Amino acid sequence: MYHLLISIIFSLSYIPSSNGLSYPEWEGGRSEIEMEDVNDDGNIDLLTIGDHGSPYVNTQEHGIMVYFGDGQGSWSNYMNGDFGYGGIAIGDVNNDGYKDAGYSMHHNYSSNDFGDQLTEVALGDGTGMNWIPWDDNLANEGQDWGMFGTDFADINNDGLLDIGANSFGADDGVHLYINNSDGTWTHTFGFLGGNSTMDFVFGDVNNDGNMDFAVAHQYGTVYFGDGAGNFTGADGNLPPGGSLGRPGVSLGDVDNDGGMDLAFINTDDGIEVWCYDENQDLWVDYSGNLPSSGNYQATQLFDMNMDGYIDLCVYGNGIFELYLGDGSGNWTYETGFTLPSPGDLSAFRTGRDADHNGFPDIVIVADSGSWWSYINKVKFFKEASTPSQLEIKPVYPKGGENLYAGSVRFIDWISAVPSGQGYVKLEISLSGPSGPWYLIADNLPDNGRYQWLIPSNYSSNSCYIKYTLKVQNDSAVAITPNAFSIIPVSVKENYRIPEIARFKGKFIFDKTGRILRFKSPSSLKPGVYFVMDKSKIKKIFLIRNQEVIW
């Protein structure tokens, strides 16, 4: 049989699915937890380095803690290492096909190389149980208290995942490092000082093909990358943050323009969503009817009902709420649930589907109990529906994105599998939704994510990915809803824009057709522009003071 993607709209609901998450017992304080298939068996696992109780502080928590998933919502724990209390990221940093871990912490108590630095990377062997330190030169810039929120991305578009991290509370700042491919790392951006509320996440906000990041830090929230490891503050006209910055940050493409947008908790503990307008170089308030005050602590932007529009999940003090988005800044309350009191936030993630029912699930770590005995509990919630047919749905890219040839990006999907074990084939067209199609990878575990090293010879503004899900003799197919672009490697060459005199008699205008007036080419912001000379139009892509015409 052969199925095309069919969208069905219905009410979402969530059921607890935490069997196996009670061991080890946690203690208290913040943490970070990620959903990832660390052993490539097709089932989502949960990974963390725990809270204040790690390692062995009134608990059995220690090291990299993996809760292996069985594809139905049950879990089994394995731990390795003598360190903890921090954030974690998962990805393949040395491109050997195995998932690796990056993590930052407050309790770097280990007596050996595995766990003795405030930020580290460790190579995995495909089991999720064994780790080899690969972390020279990390956290050597004066960090002495602790680091926390951690994420991976290819910030210099060289085909290797790099790492960034936010401070544990005060003083240690924000730091990013480029991967040198040999177990050493080069500090490329960062600063010491300031307060934080832990969170750190990568994403391309201004859609120039270079990774940016958002961070919950006193000195600023959004920073634009230049593709060489340098970053510039880009808070612009965002409303002021508090003494701890803008807590609970998350990124997602709310307005479907290809660039990531921002959600955060405001100074009244309410929820705000702001979209970045690349053409106008400003932030636009998409908060609409969201609660402007409350007791919220964290946000997650993701398409929870898989209708093509980003939704907003929020959590705070024992209350989870889901608001459905329409891409235009209107939000509709969909559902919610409560956790035992007091429910103070430790960690919060959405976006992956543990039971293959076609809808993403939720994991929350929050404290419960009475004063003097508050203990963090790990709670997982499955979306409750049962799939009736085989389906696969694209998540990223979904159209409008600019990606660099030669860089690493993630291809994401969500699948619905009524029964059996699924495998996924990924193909790309550089010539529109009808193909021809070229193989990206085949026989992938149906875990919702593939780390893609984009071929360096690719160049097209009409790219589409075809997803084929195979289960025994059945299959389902989906194609990226809209075109995305792959920018050629040549864009990164040092070909400078000519002097302003060479533009006399020419018109330069942006993607909207607006004619630009500027003092010199160096004053232009990075982005896509057009030059008209003698009735001919050429497209240029500007990165700082560089251009390529194609």
Side-chain angles (χ1 to χ4, degrees):
M1 297 177 65
Y2 180 87
H3 304 287
L4 291 175
L5 177 65
I6 300 174
S7 296
I8 301 174
I9 306 300
F10 65 97
S11 297
L12 298 172
S13 62
Y14 298 89
I15 55 176
S17 187
S18 301
N19 181 36
L21 296 181
S22 59
Y23 179 83
E25 187 174 83
W26 287 41
E27 196 201 32
R30 281 295 306 269
S31 187
E32 190 170 60
I33 195 163
E34 296 295 344
M35 303 181 189
E36 184 57 79
D37 179 12
V38 70
N39 59 351
D40 282 329
D41 66 350
N43 299 319
I44 296 301
D45 311 308
L46 306 178
L47 294 99
T48 180
I49 61 169
D51 62 5
H52 178 268
S54 181
Y56 302 111
V57 181
N58 303 316
T59 74
Q60 293 301 307
E61 295 177 77
H62 64 97
I64 297 177
M65 304 162 58
V66 181
Y67 297 90
F68 291 103
D70 68 351
Q72 302 299 316
S74 292
W75 315 90
S76 59
N77 178 266
Y78 188 89
M79 297 176 283
N80 189 343
D82 296 325
F83 57 88
Y85 197 11
I88 193 167
I90 305 298
D92 181 3
V93 298
N94 62 341
N95 292 335
D96 67 349
Y98 296 132
K99 304 285 174 48
D100 310 313
Y103 45 93
S104 299
M105 70 188 106
H106 182 45
H107 292 170
N108 57 321
Y109 295 167
S110 176
S111 60
N112 58 59
D113 194 22
F114 183 40
D116 65 347
Q117 299 173 189
L118 295 180
T119 295
E120 295 191 339
V121 173
L123 301 181
D125 65 356
T127 68
M129 298 181 180
N130 306 306
W131 308 95
I132 299 173
W134 213 63
D135 57 8
D136 290 351
N137 304 331
L138 290 171
N140 281 338
E141 289 68 44
Q143 302 94 315
D144 58 6
W145 178 238
M147 300 298 294
F148 218 85
T150 307
D151 204 5
F152 281 140
D154 184 0
I155 64 175
N156 60 341
N157 299 314
D158 68 345
L160 295 166
L161 289 179
D162 309 305
I163 191 169
N166 188 14
S167 173
F168 172 78
D171 297 332
D172 279 350
V174 176
H175 300 276
L176 287 85
Y177 302 84
I178 285 176
N179 181 351
N180 296 324
S181 79
D182 58 1
T184 67
W185 302 77
T186 299
H187 189 263
T188 185
F189 174 82
F191 51 81
L192 295 169
N195 289 312
S196 88
T197 49
M198 317 302 191
D199 304 301
F200 182 102
V201 60
F202 281 115
D204 184 2
V205 175
N206 60 352
N207 201 21
D208 65 351
N210 300 317
M211 295 305 292
D212 313 310
F213 69 88
V215 62
H217 194 276
Q218 178 184 2
Y219 291 170
T221 300
V222 179
Y223 291 79
F224 286 165
D226 68 353
N230 306 303
F231 291 83
T232 304
D235 286 4
N237 61 306
L238 288 174
S243 60
L244 297 177
R246 298 177 181 89
V249 295
S250 61
L251 295 175
D253 185 3
V254 173
D255 56 1
N256 282 342
D257 69 348
M260 293 293 177
D261 305 305
L262 176 70
F264 60 89
I265 306 303
N266 65 24
T267 53
D268 292 320
D269 296 329
I271 316 160
E272 298 196 22
V273 175
W274 289 72
C275 292
Y276 184 72
D277 186 325
E278 293 85 359
N279 296 318
Q280 302 299 318
D281 187 25
L282 55 79
W283 292 94
V284 180
D285 189 354
Y286 267 56
S287 304
N289 57 329
L290 292 171
S292 59
S293 63
N295 293 300
Y296 301 103
Q297 295 175 291
T299 70
Q300 289 281 279
L301 288 169
F302 201 84
D303 184 0
M304 301 299 287
N305 64 353
M306 299 305 299
D307 68 345
Y309 297 108
I310 290 291
D311 308 312
L312 176 65
C313 296
V314 292
Y315 179 80
N317 295 289
I319 298 176
F320 168 85
E321 295 174 353
L322 168 59
Y323 294 86
L324 301 182
D326 68 353
S328 299
N330 303 303
W331 305 93
T332 303
Y333 176 83
E334 170 73 356
T335 190
F337 54 77
T338 60
L339 294 184
S341 179
D344 192 49
L345 171 75
S346 177
F348 179 39
R349 280 290 181 270
T350 63
R352 304 296 287 273
D353 180 10
D355 60 342
H356 305 283
N357 77 331
F359 296 94
D361 303 318
I362 302 158
V363 59
I364 300 172
V365 184
D367 63 10
S368 63
S370 57
W371 195 52
W372 293 110
S373 61
Y374 294 150
I375 294 177
N376 277 326
K377 301 286 188 180
V378 185
K379 300 292 185 181
F380 194 88
F381 297 88
K382 296 190 302 185
E383 200 287 315
S385 64
T386 300
S388 60
Q389 69 175 42
L390 198 67
E391 289 186 283
I392 187 166
K393 304 175 184 181
V395 171
Y396 185 90
K398 62 179 181 179
E401 300 88 355
N402 290 301
L403 314 179
Y404 268 107
S407 70
V408 165
R409 294 294 186 264
F410 292 101
I411 299 174
D412 293 336
W413 67 90
I414 293 280
S415 64
V417 181
S419 63
Q421 176 75 46
Y423 295 91
V424 171
K425 179 181 181 180
L426 299 174
E427 299 168 278
I428 186 169
S429 168
L430 305 176
S431 307
S434 299
W437 300 97
Y438 304 96
L439 183 66
I440 297 174
D442 201 356
N443 293 315
L444 298 173
D446 180 29
N447 57 25
R449 169 161 284 194
Y450 175 70
Q451 185 173 313
W452 183 29
L453 177 57
I454 304 173
S456 59
N457 62 333
Y458 279 7
S459 173
S460 172
N461 61 3
S462 188
C463 300
Y464 290 79
I465 291 175
K466 180 162 68 174
Y467 304 72
T468 302
L469 171 63
K470 297 171 285 184
V471 178
Q472 297 177 351
N473 295 324
D474 203 357
S475 65
V477 175
I479 296 173
T480 308
N482 295 294
F484 64 94
S485 297
I486 296 178
I487 305 165
V489 172
S490 57
V491 169
K492 292 184 284 186
E493 296 175 354
N494 292 321
Y495 183 88
R496 299 182 65 84
I497 285 184
E499 295 300 321
I500 188 66
R502 294 189 58 187
F503 284 94
K504 290 181 178 179
K506 301 180 181 180
F507 293 106
I508 302 177
F509 48 98
D510 64 17
K511 292 185 293 185
T512 68
R514 181 167 57 99
I515 294 177
L516 303 179
R517 292 178 174 83
F518 52 89
K519 295 181 180 179
S520 69
S522 62
S523 68
L524 288 174
K525 296 181 180 296
V528 176
Y529 299 92
F530 297 86
V531 176
M532 184 168 67
D533 180 23
K534 297 180 181 179
S535 300
K536 294 182 179 179
I537 297 177
K538 296 180 180 180
K539 182 179 179 181
I540 64 174
F541 196 98
L542 172 64
I543 303 177
R544 300 178 74 185
N545 294 330
Q546 303 171 23
E547 67 142 5
V548 165
I549 298 173
W550 75 89

